[in-house]
Amino acid sequence: MDEALLRSLTPSVLAVLVRRGADFAAAEDAVQDALVEAVRVWPDDPPRDPKGWLVTVAWRRFLDARRADAARRRREDLVEDEPGPGPAPGVDDTLQLYFLCAHPSLTPASAVALTLRAVGGLTTRQIAEAYLVPEATMAQRISRAKRTVSAVRLDRPGDVATVLRVLYLVFNEGYSGDVDLAAEAIRLTRQLAAQVDHPEVAGLLALMLLHHARRTTRTAPDGGLVPLAEQDRARWDTASIAEGVRILQGALARDRLGEFQAQAAVAALHADAPTAEETDWVQIVEWYDELVRLTDSPVVRLNRAVAVGEADGPHAGLAALAALDDSLPRHTAVAAYLHERAGDRETAARLYAEAARKAPNLAERDHLTRRAARLNAGR
């Protein structure tokens, strides 16, 4: 069973049902039922037209659900619209669906959460971690968003800023998490950049390209994480770096600085350094200062503490870190790194072990455990 194919077809199938008159929550349920049926049937009887098969099955499941809800008075009209046999139109509706989920009736936070869950393929847990909230809180937020859009027609698209936020979070999860969605996020952001002339759209595309350029060097053959300073820069994708820098320069020249442009500027400074030792950390701290001004994000402040530790020494980094809430994700790992840089190997080893126990995934846990073991062995 090709799970990647199913995941890639889901947004288009969902969009077809919404266009045909299905409310969003019912359409999502019907598509999920069709995916379950595909997992059961396709291994023994693969369809010639996977998208058409999913559309047909999902639409029938939607009709069944409407009948069960006593919506029989509309049944004949809906049946007439059932997709006929033959190939489904080869239209990519994914970006349109992102805009429809960012409906004006939803708050930006709810629109982002709904889109990540329904279209982006992320779990409630993954979305909650991205927003630094409990999973139960995020589940309630998504449920409320579904109820809201179920009561309105999805005929008024949301704003670009909300769609950008969704694409950014999808890319981050695909880049570092359990679901590989990074390439899809780049593809959709390219489409958006072709349609919308806005420096933040260009900034997000540049940011994605600059990060994606070093993706193959982020993990070792055994699956272990490779820190930025230890990556083989000769293997970085120079074409993607050059494209990202060019797009970023064009965006910055418009003098309408935004969060994604500033993040891309940090990534470009890392990509521009021939070696880790030659990284311009002073300028990176200045860009993080801009990001703090733009976002006041605790995660940005955490990353800034690392940059300060590189630019001004580990004790300065620890001082910046002390001003932050120690419950922040990866706060303990950053403290361990800065203590190691400061020469306090015992404290660093203890903190690495503690950070490993809090790690959000196996690869990060193993990486932190190895760092703790290395320091303990050297004492």
Side-chain angles (χ1 to χ4, degrees):
M1 169 58 58
D2 190 342
E3 295 183 5
L5 174 62
L6 285 176
R7 190 164 60 243
S8 68
L9 291 174
T10 297
S12 292
V13 176
L14 185 57
V16 170
L17 266 64
V18 170
R19 284 205 310 271
R20 290 180 178 276
D23 62 84
F24 190 89
E28 186 189 14
D29 289 342
V31 172
Q32 292 302 317
D33 287 344
L35 294 175
V36 171
E37 185 69 5
V39 171
R40 186 182 70 83
V41 171
W42 286 11
D44 297 324
D45 185 20
R48 289 191 298 272
D49 177 20
K51 178 181 175 181
W53 188 98
L54 287 171
V55 168
T56 300
V57 172
W59 187 253
R60 288 172 178 165
R61 293 301 172 92
F62 168 70
L63 292 179
D64 290 343
R66 291 300 295 262
R67 293 187 186 102
D69 292 337
R72 299 184 183 279
R73 63 182 178 275
R74 295 190 61 223
R75 181 178 58 188
E76 284 72 24
D77 292 337
L78 292 169
V79 169
E80 289 177 2
D81 288 336
E82 181 177 342
V91 178
D92 183 358
D93 302 293
T94 308
L95 190 59
Q96 178 193 13
L97 197 58
Y98 272 64
F99 272 98
L100 291 177
C101 286
H103 196 272
S105 64
L106 296 173
T107 65
S110 294
V112 171
L114 175 64
T115 313
L116 289 171
R117 181 71 186 92
V119 189
L122 275 64
T123 66
T124 303
R125 175 184 59 79
Q126 290 168 325
I127 302 169
E129 289 175 352
Y131 271 88
L132 308 180
V133 300
E135 184 174 351
T137 301
M138 184 54 65
Q140 291 174 355
R141 183 180 299 176
I142 293 171
S143 295
R144 286 196 299 269
K146 286 182 179 180
R147 287 195 298 271
T148 299
V149 297
S150 293
V152 300
R153 283 192 58 83
L154 295 180
D155 55 358
R156 291 186 297 150
D159 65 349
V160 173
T162 300
V163 174
L164 284 178
R165 175 62 50 186
V166 174
L167 289 170
Y168 172 70
L169 292 172
V170 169
F171 177 82
N172 278 349
E173 192 59 45
Y175 187 64
S176 61
D178 302 325
V179 183
D180 185 3
L181 295 168
E184 173 70 356
I186 291 174
R187 184 183 71 83
L188 292 173
T189 306
R190 284 192 187 279
Q191 287 186 10
L192 185 61
Q195 298 173 19
V196 178
D197 182 22
H198 192 288
E200 273 293 82
V201 177
L204 179 58
L205 179 56
L207 174 64
M208 290 178 175
L209 290 171
L210 289 163
H211 277 300
H212 208 61
R214 60 183 183 87
R215 183 173 188 179
T216 58
T217 66
R218 294 183 72 250
T219 54
D222 64 358
L225 293 183
V226 180
L228 175 61
E230 299 172 19
Q231 290 173 14
D232 181 359
R233 297 179 181 228
R235 294 175 53 212
W236 287 359
D237 183 349
T238 54
S240 291
I241 290 173
E243 182 185 8
V245 169
R246 176 180 56 78
I247 292 171
L248 173 62
Q249 289 173 339
L252 292 175
R254 301 176 67 173
D255 199 23
R256 292 166 57 192
L257 184 64
E259 172 187 357
F260 297 122
Q261 295 169 72
Q263 287 196 49
V266 172
L269 287 166
H270 283 300
D272 188 53
T275 65
E277 293 72 24
E278 295 174 86
T279 303
D280 189 346
W281 287 106
V282 172
Q283 195 172 166
I284 287 175
V285 171
E286 292 174 356
W287 279 112
Y288 273 123
D289 288 339
E290 291 288 348
L291 274 168
V292 168
R293 180 182 62 80
L294 289 166
T295 69
D296 196 28
S297 162
V299 174
V300 169
R301 291 181 182 275
L302 185 68
N303 292 333
R304 179 185 178 277
V306 176
V308 169
E310 299 290 353
D312 301 327
H315 293 290
L318 287 167
L321 188 65
L324 304 179
D325 186 345
D326 61 9
S327 67
L328 274 173
R330 297 185 172 85
H331 182 286
T332 308
V334 170
Y337 173 74
L338 291 172
H339 276 289
E340 181 183 3
R341 288 278 320 281
D344 186 353
R345 297 169 64 90
E346 182 177 355
T347 300
R350 176 178 56 79
L351 290 172
Y352 276 131
E354 181 183 339
R357 292 191 292 271
K358 301 176 181 177
N361 56 65
L362 182 61
E364 189 168 337
R365 186 185 71 190
D366 289 347
H367 171 71
L368 294 167
T369 300
R370 283 197 296 268
R371 295 197 78 116
R374 176 176 54 79
L375 291 176
N376 284 325
R379 295 215 306 262

